[in-house]
Amino acid sequence: QLQLMESGGALVQPGGSLTLSCSVSGSTLDYFVFGWIRQAPGQEREGLLCFPIVGDLKFYQTSAKGRFTVSKDNAKNTVSLQMDSLKPEDTGVYYCAASGPSAYFCPSDLDHWDFWGKGTLVTVSS
């Protein structure tokens, strides 16, 4: 059973940067597609971006392009979300999610993510 644990959430000033980490246990990273999902206060969860096994990084939200990126560290078994130029509207709980095993492409919607972390809170405010 794959387990995911996010860390790194914090209070950040607008324009600042933050890196979130997702620690993965129960498997190596090779057999799963990983992504980051955000839930803003009072809103539904929305996909942000996805790191597929086949293909390029996928952005579900155009607002994340050019500011957010995902990387994987196979040695540490972690998936990271690097966020730059943060805005107040980026405030929310950030979830790490995984699809698989035997998944190669990014899920088309939130229902097709198989494993979820508990989330970490990011607050962007001055």
Side-chain angles (χ1 to χ4, degrees), residues 95-112:
Y95 297 91
C96 176
S99 176
S102 302
Y104 294 92
F105 304 102
C106 295
S108 56
D109 55 59
L110 296 181
D111 290 339
H112 289 90

Side-chain angles (χ1 to χ4, degrees), residues 44-110:
E44 308 229 339
R45 293 183 186 186
E46 59 179 8
L48 285 175
L49 67 174
C50 168
F51 197 132
I53 293 176
V54 176
D56 297 326
L57 196 64
K58 175 175 181 174
F59 291 88
Y60 294 106
Q61 301 296 326
T62 55
S63 62
K65 274 190 177 181
R67 299 190 302 128
F68 293 3
T69 192
V70 175
S71 61
K72 294 196 291 186
D73 186 330
N74 291 316
K76 295 182 179 179
N77 231 43
T78 60
V79 181
S80 297
L81 174 66
Q82 171 68 40
M83 303 184 289
D84 298 318
S85 302
L86 283 163
K87 305 174 183 180
E89 51 263 42
D90 294 318
T91 294
V93 178
Y94 284 70
Y95 297 91
C96 176
S99 176
S102 302
Y104 294 92
F105 304 102
C106 295
S108 56
D109 55 59
L110 296 181

Side-chain angles (χ1 to χ4, degrees), residues 9-31:
L11 171 63
V12 186
Q13 290 193 341
S17 298
L18 189 66
T19 299
L20 304 182
S21 292
C22 175
S23 178
V24 180
S25 59
S27 175
T28 64
L29 305 182
D30 299 338
Y31 305 106

